[in-house]
Amino acid sequence: MNICLLPLIVSALCVIPSLNAYPLRVLAWDDTISARKLAISHSKGTDELLDLDSFKRSKTYQVSPGEGASASIQCLDRKAPDGKPLDTEIKIPAGINKPLLIIMPDVKAPSGIRLMALEDDLAGFNWGSIRLVNATGKKLVFKWEKSMMEVPATWTPVDAAPGGSDRNIQVQVFLRDPPSPLLYSSVWEQRGFYRKLVFIVPGADPRLPSIECKFINEDRRVAAAEEAANKVR
């Protein structure tokens, strides 16, 4: 799957190091990543990512960077010549309060991974809304029912809030530039107790003008039950 990674390089330039602890959830980009043996390494220890999944956020990890030592993702299945696990520094762009860390495959990196952080705070990405992330490198237009919005050709998230009652909605995606062909058409479930993170990626056949959507749905009822269970422990 060809995805445009240029914005990841740009975002790294906007990182402001912090020694403050922060909550972190993790998402594997695909099954090759979810099958890896990875861990979060920080000043309080190492937490192996046993719940790494390509369609569901992990539990929340409290990450505490140390003085002169950033937190990182350790690759327990890949070792450096000295026998220590290869690692990749976790960089959180300034302004992100509750990061969702996307772990992506990178064949050029010794660790085999590349990291990107997205804001996942409910304050901006609330229940009932749709967050779109464009990984095609092309400017798109997202249409739902009678509304439409531009989706930039970067990984900058944009949000749609259909509102109203629970229902099924017709959605379409077009190229923004003329002749603006239709790339995608489908019917999505719109539910007030869901929030839907959607990665727009190139279609499987690069010869055809099409895209695919990778859905990361979160259910408010399930999230509340998990939060209550964690408080009991």
Side-chain angles (χ1 to χ4, degrees):
M1 178 186 296
N2 272 333
I3 53 177
C4 179
L5 296 178
L6 177 61
L8 305 191
I9 300 172
V10 176
S11 67
L13 302 177
C14 304
V15 175
I16 297 180
S18 172
L19 296 180
N20 297 325
Y22 56 87
L24 183 73
R25 300 175 79 182
V26 184
L27 177 71
W29 180 255
D30 58 22
D31 291 341
T32 66
I33 294 297
S34 61
R36 297 280 307 270
K37 292 194 65 175
L38 305 175
I40 301 173
S41 177
H42 55 116
S43 65
K44 301 297 184 181
T46 300
D47 298 313
E48 187 170 354
L49 294 170
L50 299 176
D51 57 349
L52 196 56
D53 194 286
S54 58
F55 288 99
K56 183 181 178 182
R57 297 165 174 82
S58 73
K59 70 178 184 180
T60 300
Y61 295 88
Q62 292 299 322
V63 177
S64 302
E67 185 72 43
S70 301
S72 67
I73 294 294
Q74 281 193 347
C75 300
L76 305 179
D77 51 3
R78 292 196 185 188
K79 302 296 177 64
D82 61 4
K84 295 181 180 179
L86 292 170
D87 63 357
T88 300
E89 182 182 358
I90 298 173
K91 298 179 179 180
I92 307 300
I96 290 184
N97 297 312
K98 293 187 177 179
L100 175 64
L101 188 70
I102 315 297
I103 305 180
M104 311 178 73
D106 186 348
V107 296
K108 295 182 180 179
S111 64
I113 63 172
R114 179 187 293 264
L115 307 179
M116 183 189 65
L118 296 176
E119 178 63 85
D120 203 40
D121 195 343
L122 277 168
F125 180 20
N126 212 332
W127 304 112
S129 63
I130 301 168
R131 173 158 289 179
L132 303 166
V133 179
N134 184 1
T136 68
K138 298 178 181 179
K139 294 179 181 179
L140 304 174
V141 172
F142 176 70
K143 180 180 180 182
W144 72 99
E145 297 180 322
K146 296 181 180 180
S147 302
M148 63 175 58
M149 65 189 302
E150 183 176 321
V151 186
T154 66
W155 286 66
T156 303
V158 293
D159 298 336
S165 60
D166 292 349
R167 64 196 186 282
N168 295 335
I169 60 175
Q170 176 74 40
V171 302
Q172 295 177 319
V173 179
F174 303 84
L175 276 178
R176 195 203 68 170
D177 298 327
S180 304
L182 175 65
L183 303 178
Y184 176 90
S185 181
S186 186
V187 175
W188 292 359
E189 287 187 344
Q190 173 59 28
R191 302 292 183 265
F193 50 83
Y194 283 160
R195 60 176 186 160
K196 192 186 300 288
L197 175 61
V198 184
F199 292 97
I200 304 175
V201 301
D205 189 340
R207 298 169 300 178
L208 300 176
S210 65
I211 54 100
E212 297 177 1
C213 293
K214 174 182 170 68
F215 299 95
I216 311 297
N217 293 328
E218 187 171 30
D219 188 317
R220 178 176 56 195
R221 301 163 301 180
V222 174
E226 291 176 346
E227 183 179 359
N230 290 333
K231 289 181 179 179
V232 173
R233 293 173 187 170

